[in-house]
Amino acid sequence: MKWISCVVTITVFWTTAVPTVGNLCGNRTFCRISELDITSTAEVLNVLGKETSITYITIEIQRLIMGSTTFATLLVKASVLTSNLLFKKYHETMLFLPSSHTLEVLTLHQARKLQLITIQTNRHLRQLEITRCAISIVPPSISNLLSLRELRLKFCSIKTLNLALLATLKYLETVQLVGNSIGSIYAPQAAIVQNIRRVDLSYNKLRQLDMSVFSTLKLVNNLNLANNQISTIDYPPGRVVTLPRLTSLSLANNRIEKMSFVQLNASNLEFLVLSFNRLATIPEHIGKFANLIQLAIANNGLDLFNFTILQRLSNLQTLELQNNRLRSIDLPREVLLPSLNQLSLSNNQLKSVALEQLIAPRLSIIDLSNNRLLVIPNVFEKDIRQLQYLNIMDNPLVCSTYEQYRKYIRAGIIIPKWLKQHEDLCSTGKYFILNKTKRACCTT
C-alpha cells in the first residue's frame, strides 16, 4: 500500500464542505485531518464533500494513503474541491501534470527527489511553485501551461535559463529562479517579449552578464540579479539596451569592480542597488536615471564621492554610502536635491564633511556615525526644516565641540555617544551638564 507521510495543505477557494469527525475541524476556516485514505478510486477526496453545511479556507491532510492511486489522479480529484493545492513535502522523483486537472495553483515544497517534470497541455494552471528540488533544467513541456502567470523554481539545480522557452508563454509575468546554479542565460529570439514583468535570478552562479539577453523584455519592471558572482557586465558593441519599464535593478552582493551605464537606457528606473560589490569608483553615467528614488552603493571601496553627479536626480529620496572608504565628500558647487530624505555616510573614514553646498530642504536623517570627525557638520544654518536626526556617534568629538550644540542635543536631533543620568559617572571622566537630570559624556 502506497502512502505519503508528508503534510498536504489544500487551500479551498470554492464553497466546499469537509468532514469534522475525529479531526480538528471546528473553526470553519481551518480543518486538520490526521489521516485520509483514498485507495478507493471511487471515493478519491469525495469524502471531503459529505457535510454540505460547513466550509473551510484550508484543509491540512497530515497523512495521505494513496494505494495504487497515481499522483495525476490525485490532482484531478483534488480539482473538484479546490483551485489551490500545496504539498509541504513531495517525495516522488517525477511529476506528471495531466490536461484534465483544473487547479490554478500548485505548490510543492521540499521536493528533494524530484528530477523530471512532464506536463500535458493545460489552460487552468496559473501558478507553479517548486522548491528544494533536483531538476537541472526548466522542463521544455512548461510551454504547455498556456495560462501560466507565475513560475517559481527555487533552490533547485537548474544550470541554464532559457528565456526563449519562457517567452512562448504569453501570459507569464513572474519568473523566479532563486537559489539555483544558473551560470548562463539564453536570450529570446523574438524582437519583443510582451509578457514577462518580473525576473528574479538572485542567489545563482552568474559570473559574466550580457545585458542584451534582457533587451527583448520590454515590459520587465523588476530585475533582481543580487547574490551572484558577477564581475563583468557587458553590452553589444555600439548598441544601447533599452528597458523602458524597468523600475528596480538589484546587483547587490556581486564582485563588480567597475561599471558604466552609458549603454543602458532605463528612463523609469527608481531603485538601483549596487551595495556589497567591489566598486572603487562611482559607475559612469549613474546620474542619467532622473527618476531614481533610492541609490544604494553601500559596502564597496569608494574613497571619494562627488555630489555633482546627482544634480539631475530631483526625485532621489535615499542615498546609501555607508561602509565604504570615503575620506572626503566633494561639493564644489551647489547641488539641489529637493526630495532627499535620508543620507547615510556611516562607517567611513571621514575627518570632515562640508555640506554647505547641499540644498536638500527635506533631509530628515543624516547618519555620520563611526567616522573620524573632529567637528560637527554645520547643517543647521541651511534651510533644512525637517532635520530630525544627525547621528555622529563613535566619532572622536571633544566636549567643547558638543557643547556648542546643546539645544540640538536637548531636542534629540544630535545624540552624543553617552547620555547619563546626572549622578552617573562617565567612563572617560569627561562630560558636560545638559540639564538638571542629564549629563553628556564625551571623549576628551
Side-chain angles (χ1 to χ4, degrees):
M1 182 177 292
K2 182 179 180 182
W3 58 275
I4 297 178
S5 61
C6 59
V7 176
V8 181
T9 300
I10 302 177
T11 303
V12 181
F13 292 142
W14 299 350
T15 301
T16 306
V18 294
T20 62
V21 179
N23 299 290
L24 178 62
C25 298
N27 60 8
R28 293 179 177 263
T29 59
F30 174 76
C31 178
R32 180 187 298 134
I33 302 173
S34 60
E35 183 175 298
L36 180 63
D37 188 340
I38 60 169
T39 54
S40 173
T41 55
E43 295 186 11
V44 175
L45 293 185
N46 287 342
V47 65
L48 296 180
K50 286 185 177 179
E51 297 188 21
T52 57
S53 61
I54 301 176
T55 60
Y56 293 91
I57 297 173
T58 299
I59 306 169
E60 182 181 288
I61 304 168
Q62 294 184 312
R63 188 171 187 262
L64 181 65
I65 301 174
M66 296 179 61
S68 60
T69 303
T70 65
F71 189 77
T73 301
L74 171 62
L75 296 181
V76 174
K77 296 299 183 180
S79 301
V80 177
L81 297 170
T82 181
S83 61
N84 186 331
L85 183 60
L86 169 95
F87 283 79
K88 289 187 177 178
K89 289 186 179 179
Y90 182 80
H91 294 287
E92 305 297 313
T93 59
M94 298 177 60
L95 173 63
F96 176 71
L97 299 183
S99 293
S100 50
H101 84 81
T102 58
L103 293 171
E104 293 184 5
V105 180
L106 176 61
T107 305
L108 307 178
H109 287 165
Q110 299 291 333
R112 296 184 183 277
K113 296 180 181 179
L114 181 60
Q115 299 179 19
L116 180 64
I117 302 176
T118 303
I119 303 169
Q120 291 185 336
T121 301
N122 181 278
R123 296 182 180 276
H124 299 280
L125 198 67
R126 293 170 175 264
Q127 179 178 320
L128 176 62
E129 178 174 333
I130 302 174
T131 61
R132 307 285 180 188
C133 66
I135 62 174
S136 58
I137 63 169
V138 177
S141 59
I142 201 81
S143 60
N144 289 329
L145 296 176
L146 303 182
S147 299
L148 192 67
R149 294 181 181 274
E150 300 181 24
L151 175 63
R152 294 182 169 91
L153 302 175
K154 302 185 294 185
F155 301 100
C156 293
S157 302
I158 300 170
K159 296 179 174 59
T160 60
L161 170 58
N162 188 350
L163 278 175
L165 169 64
L166 300 182
T168 63
L169 294 164
K170 65 179 182 178
Y171 295 109
L172 184 64
E173 295 181 356
T174 299
V175 178
Q176 190 178 58
L177 301 177
V178 176
N180 284 277
S181 299
I182 296 173
S184 57
I185 304 172
Y186 296 113
Q189 301 302 312
I192 297 177
V193 177
Q194 293 285 11
N195 49 345
I196 298 175
R197 288 167 168 78
R198 293 170 291 277
V199 177
D200 188 347
L201 299 177
S202 57
Y203 293 94
N204 275 281
K205 295 184 178 179
L206 293 168
R207 295 177 181 271
Q208 185 172 355
L209 179 66
D210 185 346
M211 285 295 291
S212 66
V213 298
F214 304 113
S215 61
T216 60
L217 307 185
K218 298 304 181 185
L219 293 184
V220 69
N221 56 48
N222 191 310
L223 183 56
N224 189 350
L225 299 165
N227 295 283
N228 276 274
Q229 302 168 19
I230 300 171
S231 59
T232 305
I233 298 179
D234 297 320
Y235 295 84
R239 280 182 52 195
V240 172
V241 173
T242 300
L243 299 174
R245 299 291 184 88
L246 188 66
T247 60
S248 178
L249 173 61
S250 179
L251 289 161
N253 280 287
N254 279 286
R255 301 174 180 177
I256 304 169
E257 296 182 2
K258 187 178 181 180
M259 65 186 306
S260 172
F261 290 108
V262 67
Q263 290 176 263
L264 177 62
N265 182 6
S267 57
N268 287 303
L269 191 64
E270 296 180 353
F271 303 93
L272 178 58
V273 183
L274 303 172
S275 301
F276 292 94
N277 276 284
R278 301 174 182 178
L279 293 168
T281 58
I282 298 297
E284 296 177 1
H285 299 274
I286 201 170
K288 67 188 289 186
F289 304 120
N291 286 306
L292 267 189
I293 293 174
Q294 178 186 12
L295 175 58
I297 323 179
N299 295 84
N300 277 279
L302 305 177
D303 57 14
L304 174 66
F305 186 80
N306 188 338
F307 268 81
T308 58
I309 65 173
L310 308 178
Q311 56 191 353
R312 293 179 56 196
L313 306 185
S314 59
N315 296 305
L316 188 66
Q317 296 178 17
T318 303
L319 178 59
E320 300 177 15
L321 294 168
Q322 67 270 22
N323 294 294
N324 278 283
R325 301 172 186 169
L326 293 174
R327 291 186 174 88
S328 65
I329 296 296
D330 193 6
L331 274 158
R333 61 178 182 273
E334 282 192 351
V335 175
L336 173 62
L337 295 176
S339 301
L340 187 64
N341 179 262
Q342 298 184 34
L343 171 60
S344 181
L345 292 163
S346 61
N347 295 288
N348 278 286
Q349 301 173 21
L350 295 167
K351 292 185 177 180
S352 64
V353 178
L355 296 176
E356 290 81 7
Q357 300 278 60
L358 177 62
I359 311 300
R362 296 185 181 179
L363 192 57
S364 64
I365 298 174
I366 305 175
D367 190 350
L368 290 164
S369 60
N370 197 24
N371 276 283
R372 301 175 183 178
L373 296 178
L374 301 175
V375 296
I376 296 175
N378 187 7
V379 296
F380 302 102
E381 294 180 3
K382 304 293 293 183
D383 186 20
I384 303 181
R385 301 173 185 175
Q386 299 187 32
L387 187 63
Q388 299 174 6
Y389 185 47
L390 174 62
N391 187 352
I392 52 172
M393 296 176 68
D394 295 310
N395 280 280
L397 294 166
V398 298
C399 282
S400 59
T401 300
Y402 274 121
E403 284 187 278
Q404 300 174 43
Y405 296 92
R406 283 174 182 267
K407 68 176 182 179
Y408 300 107
I409 296 174
R410 292 192 187 102
I413 295 175
I414 294 178
I415 300 178
K417 187 169 184 178
W418 303 282
L419 276 177
K420 298 284 189 180
Q421 294 299 319
H422 188 39
E423 64 274 9
D424 293 338
L425 296 176
C426 292
S427 60
T428 61
K430 303 292 183 181
Y431 65 91
F432 63 91
I433 303 300
L434 189 60
N435 55 38
K436 291 181 179 180
T437 60
K438 293 280 187 180
R439 66 170 64 183
C441 300
C442 33
T443 55
T444 57

